[in-house]
Amino acid sequence: MALMCILVWYGQTWILRKTGNHEPKNFYFIGNGKGKFVGAVYDMIGDLHWYVEPRSRKKGYLGRALSHAILPHLARSRRKQEISIDEENIGEENYNDSLNVAMGAGFRIKRTPQQRTICVQDLKPYKTLPLEITHVGMDRERLAELKRDMSEVVGKLWCIQAEVEMKLGKTYYTRQLQGFVNDLKKYRTLKMEDALIYFEDSQARRKSAIKRETNNLS
């Protein structure tokens, strides 16, 4: 019997609004191991919302992704996780399926206000599970683009700081804003370059260690 292969990507997405709130949203994207995404889990910190495409439901993708990747990753930053399952919004069949997945992943019912079920789980046992995290890296061309973007951000912030100071006078606020500008100026040059160099060096060391281990086993 072949084992199911799944891959989970962690990423941040932005929903741009006219209100100016550009805070990123945290998502886990579930792949079927064949180059296709079949589901997603939205991390709302105090809740998790998930979706699996209809053709990929009841095949174990979500349950395995939660148990082997998502919950162990969340355990690195929090001690417990709650989820809510709303039968009125998703219907009876999807409600039962989601509740079964949650129970299979270790969640237990905390309370059931009306048609909404709240489940909770202690994440401490997941913290000790091995978790392989791979970063995709970045090429020099993309780094150059980000440096240009950072320069634009620094320039705009600098203009704001200067205008506020000229029109309202030098205050604690304008000095603090000037401090932000000075810090960001470093990131648009040396610090961003250092981050890439450190990543490349760490990847090289990792490959070298794997090669040595393989040679010792052979």
Side-chain angles (χ1 to χ4, degrees):
M1 180 178 179
L3 294 175
M4 177 189 296
C5 177
I6 62 169
L7 296 173
V8 178
W9 282 262
Y10 174 73
Q12 295 183 320
T13 63
W14 279 259
I15 302 174
L16 301 182
R17 297 186 177 93
K18 293 182 178 179
T19 57
N21 182 7
H22 301 310
E23 182 180 356
K25 309 299 181 183
N26 300 324
F27 275 87
Y28 295 91
F29 300 98
I30 304 168
N32 64 358
K34 300 178 181 178
K36 180 182 178 182
F37 289 111
V38 296
V41 177
Y42 174 25
D43 175 21
M44 301 176 68
I45 310 300
D47 200 352
L48 298 178
H49 285 184
W50 52 61
Y51 173 83
V52 178
E53 64 151 357
R55 290 178 297 180
S56 300
R57 293 173 183 171
K58 299 183 180 180
K59 294 184 178 180
Y61 289 117
L62 178 58
R64 286 178 60 83
L66 285 169
S67 298
H68 296 283
I70 297 173
L71 294 177
H73 188 253
L74 291 175
R76 269 62 179 177
S77 60
R78 64 194 71 162
R79 290 184 293 179
K80 69 175 183 177
Q81 182 63 55
E82 286 193 0
I83 61 172
S84 63
I85 308 174
D86 194 331
E87 182 178 357
E88 185 176 0
N89 284 339
I90 64 177
E92 182 179 359
E93 182 178 358
N94 289 332
Y95 169 83
N96 290 329
D97 289 344
S98 286
L99 189 58
N100 288 336
V101 169
M103 297 295 102
F107 285 91
R108 294 294 177 262
I109 295 176
K110 182 179 180 180
R111 62 182 185 277
T112 54
Q114 298 179 351
Q115 290 182 300
R116 188 164 172 260
T117 299
I118 308 297
C119 300
V120 66
Q121 180 172 185
D122 178 12
L123 295 181
K124 187 176 180 180
Y126 286 101
K127 194 171 184 178
T128 59
L129 293 180
L131 184 63
E132 182 178 351
I133 300 176
T134 303
H135 297 279
V136 298
M138 180 186 301
D139 57 36
R140 298 282 170 174
E141 183 178 350
R142 179 55 180 161
L143 181 66
E145 292 176 356
L146 292 179
K147 284 183 177 181
R148 289 193 292 270
D149 290 343
M150 181 65 80
S151 292
E152 291 182 9
V153 171
V154 172
K156 290 180 180 178
L157 188 58
W158 212 335
C159 290
I160 293 172
Q161 186 274 336
E163 181 173 350
V164 172
E165 183 176 309
M166 291 299 101
K167 293 182 177 179
L168 302 181
K170 184 174 290 188
T171 63
Y172 170 78
Y173 172 77
T174 60
R175 287 193 294 270
Q176 189 178 44
L177 197 54
Q178 181 64 60
F180 294 153
V181 172
N182 292 336
D183 287 340
L184 289 176
K185 282 163 58 181
K186 301 173 186 176
Y187 279 96
R188 68 176 176 176
T189 53
L190 296 178
K191 290 193 176 183
M192 199 176 291
E193 184 79 25
D194 289 344
L196 180 57
I197 292 173
Y198 175 81
F199 175 79
E200 292 174 341
D201 288 346
S202 64
Q203 292 298 300
R205 290 193 299 270
R206 183 171 180 270
K207 290 179 180 178
S208 179
I210 293 174
K211 185 177 180 179
R212 286 196 304 270
E213 185 177 343
T214 303
N215 291 337
N216 292 335
L217 293 176
S218 60

